[in-house]
Structures are given as structure tokens and as C-alpha cells.
């Protein structure tokens, strides 16, 4: 039973390009969370999605960032027109039920904007 | 506004001794607290959790204590081992049963020396 899979592990983008980060939750999990970790900081919540629904996007920047979790396929975090400040580690977590005791995290995608 | 604070960025402990990691919070609405362990280049791994209705939870070598009046929790690791060396994050949720997001502290890097 594979864990939460994120790809790519490392992504380099030039300023102004688009970044697409993918997250495949654990088998059977229908709840996905995205977190961002800036250097020397803790993880910051971005968005919580269920299949085809955004439940809580209170941590998403108002512009350039979007997330989806389609009926089929992985969850996608999309960052348009990236800037240097978007450089961070982006982690995805999944859970089986809403409010499950623990969420399982993927290994993260490290985005570097040059 | 840092609602969850880990004031010690690092902690060094001798092998076999007890490690005590501390965490303070400001939001009295938090009802669930968790500790995660993170190795470099990996995602956080769930360690132990505690509900706000309890003041202690134990799992093997790990014990979490919660002092609601002081808004403080701590993680005790007995018989610390070099393999325990990692960054430890405490996290809190205000509505966990409804899938509430986790608010993370900045992390404490534990180093267990042989």
C-alpha cells in the first residue's frame, strides 16, 4: 500500500513560469491537504480538498495559486507566474476520513524559482 | 500571528537520557494537538496526539503532556536514541473532527549524541 506520492520531488522554474505540483493520496483516501514550508519556518496550511470540492482554502494566497482534486487522478497545486518568494517545500497530506486522527504526509516537492 | 510556538529551535541530548520538547499556544479554541517528526528531505511523520479533554497520552517511549491553563504542551522521549535525531513539530487544530486545518509550530531540531 503505497503512501502519499508527490511529484516531482524537485522543480525549478524561472520567474513568470507556471509550476504544477501533483499529489496522489493513499489508496482509498478522499481528503487532501496542502501545506507550504518556507525556509526556517513550520508548515503553513494552504488548502483542504475532498474529491471535486474545495473545503477550506483560507491559507491560499488570493492570486496566482489554485488547487483541484478531480474525481479521477491526483490533486494538483498550480502556481502561475511564479516569483522568488514562492520557493519553498510544498507538502501534501491525505486522510481516509474527515478529521481522522492523523494525516499521512508525502515527501514534498521542493520548488526553486530562479 | 504565531498561534503555536516552539521557542527552542534546537535541543541536544545525550543518548539514553530523556528529551523534553516544549510547545506553547495562544488560541484557546484548539481542541486537538499532535506531534510530528521530520527527517531532512522527507515529509512529516505522525508521532503522537492528545485531545484537549486529556492531560497526558503515552505511546511507548513517547509521552505528551497538556497543560490547558498554561496553554502549554510537551513531548517527552525517554531513553533517547541517535535515531530520534530529527526536527519535531507540534501542531494544533481548532476543529479537528470537522477536518480542521493544522497550525504548526516552527519546529525544534533534536540532536541525540552517542
Amino acid at each position: 500500500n503505497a503512501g502519499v506520492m508527490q511529484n516531482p520531488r524537485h522543480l525549478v522554474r524561472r520567474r513568470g513560469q507556471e509550476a504544477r505540483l501533483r499529489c496522489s493520496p493513499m489508496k482509498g483516501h478522499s481528503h487532501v491537504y496542502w501545506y507550504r514550508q518556507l525556509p526556517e519556518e513550520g508548515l503553513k496550511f494552504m488548502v483542504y480538498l475532498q474529491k471535486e470540492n474545495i473545503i477550506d482554502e483560507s491559507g491560499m494566497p488570493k492570486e496566482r495559486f489554485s488547487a483541484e482534486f478531480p474525481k479521477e487522478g491526483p490533486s494538483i497545486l498550480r502556481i502561475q507566474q511564479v516569483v522568488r518568494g514562492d520557493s519553498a517545500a510544498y507538502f501534501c497530506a491525505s486522510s481516509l476520513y474527515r478529521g481522522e486522527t492523523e494525516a499521512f504526509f508525502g515527501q514534498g516537492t521542493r520548488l526553486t524559482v530562479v | 500571528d504565531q498561534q503555536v510556538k516552539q521557542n527552542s529551535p534546537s535541543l541536544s541530548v545525550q543518548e539514553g537520557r530523556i528529551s523534553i520538547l516544549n510547545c506553547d499556544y495562544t488560541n484557546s479554541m484548539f481542541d486537538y494537538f499532535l506531534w510530528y517528526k521530520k527527517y531532512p528531505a522527507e515529509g512529516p511523520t505522525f508521532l503522537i496526539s492528545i485531545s484537549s479533554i486529556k492531560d497526558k497520552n503515552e505511546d511507548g517511549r513517547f509521552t505528551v503532556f497538556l497543560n490547558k491553563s498554561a496553554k502549554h504542551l510537551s513531548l517527552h522521549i525517554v531513553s533517547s536514541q541517535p535515531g530520534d535525531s530529527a526536527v519535531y513539530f507540534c501542531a494544533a487544530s481548532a476543529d479537528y473532527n470537522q477536518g480542521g486545518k493544522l497550525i504548526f509550530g516552527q519546529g525544534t531540531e533534536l540532536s541525540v549524541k552517542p
Side-chain angles (χ1 to χ4, degrees):
Chain A
N1 184 16
V4 178
M5 303 300 291
Q6 289 187 250
N7 67 81
R9 290 292 309 276
H10 301 275
L11 181 62
V12 179
R13 284 288 177 265
R14 294 188 185 279
R15 280 178 294 172
Q17 290 185 318
E18 178 180 288
R20 282 190 178 227
L21 289 65
R22 295 176 200 79
C23 169
S24 295
M26 287 184 70
K27 188 176 180 180
H29 286 194
S30 60
H31 301 263
V32 165
Y33 305 78
W34 284 93
Y35 289 82
R36 174 167 67 172
Q37 184 183 22
L38 295 170
E40 308 301 324
E41 293 188 15
L43 285 75
K44 297 272 195 282
F45 169 80
M46 298 183 77
V47 62
Y48 164 35
L49 311 104
Q50 256 185 292
K51 286 280 188 182
E52 300 184 275
N53 287 306
I54 296 175
I55 308 299
D56 181 354
E57 56 181 346
S58 58
M60 287 281 269
K62 294 285 185 284
E63 297 176 347
R64 302 188 297 108
F65 285 71
S66 62
E68 63 175 6
F69 189 16
K71 188 177 180 181
E72 301 291 338
S75 175
I76 306 285
L77 179 67
R78 183 180 174 208
I79 311 171
Q80 295 179 290
Q81 300 173 344
V82 296
V83 300
R84 288 249 171 90
D86 296 333
S87 295
Y90 292 81
F91 292 96
C92 164
S94 75
S95 65
L96 182 59
Y97 303 111
R98 187 171 191 150
E100 188 178 347
T101 307
E102 57 174 290
F104 295 87
F105 279 82
Q107 292 184 299
T109 293
R110 182 160 298 280
L111 172 66
T112 302
V113 179
V114 297
Chain B
D1 178 27
Q2 190 70 31
Q3 297 185 66
V4 178
K5 294 181 184 179
Q6 293 177 258
N7 292 317
S8 298
S10 63
L11 175 68
S12 184
V13 170
Q14 208 67 32
E15 183 177 5
R17 305 295 288 267
I18 186 171
S19 299
I20 300 176
L21 297 97
N22 294 303
C23 180
D24 298 295
Y25 62 96
T26 57
N27 189 344
S28 57
M29 298 301 290
F30 287 146
D31 59 2
Y32 204 80
F33 303 88
L34 306 89
W35 283 93
Y36 282 84
K37 175 180 180 180
K38 186 180 179 305
Y39 293 116
E42 292 187 14
T45 303
F46 170 78
L47 264 181
I48 192 168
S49 62
I50 187 166
S51 165
S52 60
I53 61 173
K54 295 187 174 182
D55 55 19
K56 178 182 174 181
N57 188 26
E58 188 174 349
D59 184 1
R61 294 188 299 114
F62 303 92
T63 303
V64 57
F65 295 91
L66 175 62
N67 182 334
K68 283 183 64 179
S69 60
K71 294 192 177 68
H72 177 83
L73 65 155
S74 60
L75 174 69
H76 292 217
I77 308 173
V78 299
S79 302
S80 301
Q81 303 162 5
D84 295 328
S85 298
V87 178
Y88 289 77
F89 291 98
C90 72
S93 175
D95 194 13
Y96 201 75
N97 286 335
Q98 297 302 314
K101 58 183 180 269
L102 294 177
I103 309 297
F104 282 83
Q106 310 95 308
T108 296
E109 184 171 9
L110 173 66
S111 175
V112 180
K113 302 199 180 298

